[in-house]
Amino acid sequence: MDIVVSVKTNLDLQMIRIKNREPVLEAIPYKTGDLDKNAVEAALQLRDAVGESKVIVLTVAESNRKVRETIKEVLAMGADEAVLIVDPALESTDQAGVARTLAAALQKIGSYDLVLFGEGSSDDYSGQVGPRVAELLGVPQIGYARQITAGGAGVLVERSMDEYIETLEAPLPAVLTVVSEINEPRIPSLMNIMKAGKKPTEEWSLADLGLDPAAVASSCETLSNLAEEQDRKHIMLEGGAAEQAAGLVNALLKEGIVGR
Amino acid sequence: MEKVDCIIVGGGLAGLSAAYGLASEGLEVMVVERGDYSGAKNVTGGRLYLSPIRDIYPELWESAPFERPVTRELVTLMGDGASTTIELASDRFATAPHQSYTVLRARLDQWLADQVMEKGGMVITKNRVDEILMEGDKVIGIRAGGDDIGADVTIIAEGVLGLLSSKVGLREQPTARDHALGYKEILELPSSVIQDRWHLNEGEGAAHLFMGEVTKGMMGGGFLYTNKDSISLGIVVGMEAMRERTEKVESHTLLDAFKELPHIRPLVEGGTLVEYSAHAIPEGGIAKVPKLFGDGYLMVGDAAGLALNALLTVRGMDFAIASGFYAARAVADAKNRGDCSAAGLAQYEQSLRSSFVLKDLETAKEIPHIMENPRLFTHYPQAVSGLLEKLYTIGPHPSQKLSSTVIGGVRKDFMNARTLKELLAMRKI
Amino acid sequence: MNIEAKLGLDVFKIDKERHITIDVEVCNRVCTDKACLYVCPAHLYEIDDQGNNTVNFEGCLECGTCLISCDHQALDWHYPRGEYGVQYRMG
């Protein structure tokens, strides 16, 4: 079984500070998407369970430097190969552009049985890219996977819905997106990190995929990127501890913070 | 156990400098750094003296992310309610090649890590080394995250606390007597304001040290360095001095009091605080430098106590980079000869002895004793400022002759047996 | 700005595991100085209502001053694991 996992490199959001209500984005370190690591882990487990399989990680970015560490990390986790789509035009793309790029890359890779995504990225969390790729490729898709087993018509997938769990099966090839409860991603060992650089890695440009930069241009324009102005509620609770506690519970209920 | 040529414990300046040298020689090198990136756990005052290390890796420095070359040097002796500032504006310091630069570690160390990786070295971040592995007296590798990894040579660049190396007996645990606490605020200020406030030409920088009242008379001092668009303002205070003071001072309050002083307030006015950081500093001098090498290992940088506080000049990063350089040379030679025993690595200490690293530490060997004298931080700043204050004072009564004021002041504050003895002792520094 | 607000400007990635543990027995039995209370530049040590020494390890700047200043080996102090602890953006 050939499994392709799409991974995204984000800015480490915790490192961003706000200056004059605007985020300072200079020199912010990069970080591999949290759910993408769950997707990689799921792929590795599936590979090892099925046997005769390989895991290819696929990523798109405007520069090699941006994704270097991510690729090293997921290869060190145990993925077999990496394919990087690197093109300066990807600097200002959007979910649709990324999906088009990934779909074209998957077609170039040619043989794939499963394509895994995290259900959303650690920064935008739009959850669009997986479903868009499935549509572009015209293959079945199952979102929010909490368990994946090879079998049935192809794969058996438990989906985590808010109130219930749904079990579906899909023929291959298929696109799946995973939720964090599916597994605990492994932490790569130092030796595996050392060796990760020696694993086969391909780098393609948009031209290699037959894509025009216009095909990935964003259809959205960012007008403003200001931090929300936060205002305190200034609710003072009076009385003894019991009264204050009751008041606090009421206030939290009223704000919809608890008891939804 | 899987094995590499060389493991470096810690990706600060010393470790990265060693890694750069080894990677340039084509050796397989693995730097293990616990921070999210190199520099994430490092703090400097800071200024890097480039002159001593310019010829080490000469190709490197052109692209280094320095903040500003220091062209103005200031020192303030702070008495109680009066302080004296001496300012040196040197044309030589203002002319390239500049002797020193202000720096910020998160930028500098990440840049150096990038240079190491360009040379093919591996810098693995977000991983803590948990143990140094020994076989008898020989260091054979490390344990990290449950994995054991062997190396022909392990370079210990773990920093000032030496937690791992002291645990396996390669050095002593740090003591309060030989260490100071340094901590600082970074305050953002527009570049133009910095230049106006410190009388600097575009791109130039100032370094300002403070002694006396700033530490309430405890061993140490204050510092202010101008970066590109921020200033680093902080305090260094001896750990033992904090404990010996009868009336204890919560360390963090010294910096707040410092900023509130009438002659400091205008310097920090309008600055936006963006980071608060702290680090320990080795101040034991050459007497506290541990054994620098042994079977299968070398010690570099702060982990080896290679730092020098000489009151007007405070150094450590140049020692770190130089020790890393010499460590890399020694390891490369040892690998070529196939002898990574203590004998095979002995060249490391010899080259440190013939370089500025151990020579400067040797020259300064009396400084730690002199600095243990609290009067250096109480009596002298007060006496100098007190005398000048008298000279500048015109009161309601007829003034004394200038010479009588000077002679009287000098006689009272400097011409006594105790002071003369201390001044005599200072000849040694 | 008070010390808590200053620490609020730094990036801390907080581990579930504590990296500083106090042997309160030792503090209570043999330590008269309690240097940790005043040497820590982040002011993390406090005596709680029961009279026991406590530390808010989450705001640790990892300087080690408390460890070095403790004469009684009352602290089990190691660096936080990789991916955790303070991450200086300037340094």
Side-chain angles (χ1 to χ4, degrees), chain A residues 12 14-17 28 31 37 73 187, chain C residues 11-14 81 83 87-90:
Chain A
D12 184 347
Q14 231 187 309
M15 301 300 289
I16 297 175
R17 65 191 177 91
I28 302 296
K31 193 173 178 244
K37 285 198 253 183
E73 183 177 4
I187 297 167
Chain C
V11 177
F12 293 101
K13 298 196 172 171
I14 298 169
R81 295 186 292 171
E83 304 212 56
Q87 310 288 341
Y88 291 123
R89 285 180 288 211
M90 312 270 178

Side-chain angles (χ1 to χ4, degrees), chain B residues 36-37 128 185 243 276, chain C residues 6 10 13 41 69 79 88:
Chain B
D36 274 12
Y37 42 85
R128 182 187 68 188
E185 291 180 0
R243 298 200 313 182
Y276 181 69
Chain C
K6 285 186 197 180
D10 292 344
K13 298 196 172 171
S69 302
Y79 287 128
Y88 291 123

Side-chain angles (χ1 to χ4, degrees), chain B residues 282-351:
Chain B
E283 297 217 322
I286 194 149
K288 297 295 168 179
V289 171
K291 195 161 161 275
L292 289 163
F293 66 99
D295 287 336
Y297 80 95
L298 298 171
M299 308 265 292
V300 294
D302 274 3
L306 301 176
L308 175 55
N309 179 349
L311 289 174
L312 290 179
T313 54
V314 186
R315 300 165 59 185
M317 293 182 286
D318 52 338
F319 288 73
I321 291 166
S323 60
F325 169 80
Y326 291 117
R329 282 226 301 221
V331 172
D333 286 355
K335 282 284 294 178
N336 275 337
R337 291 193 309 268
D339 177 9
C340 295
S341 68
L345 294 166
Q347 169 201 339
Y348 171 56
E349 182 168 339
Q350 286 156 19
S351 38

Side-chain angles (χ1 to χ4, degrees), chain A residues 157-175:
Chain A
V157 178
E158 273 186 22
R159 311 177 70 202
S160 186
M161 308 309 284
D162 267 352
E163 309 285 328
Y164 57 94
I165 291 163
E166 190 173 56
T167 308
L168 299 176
E169 62 179 341
L172 302 179
V175 169

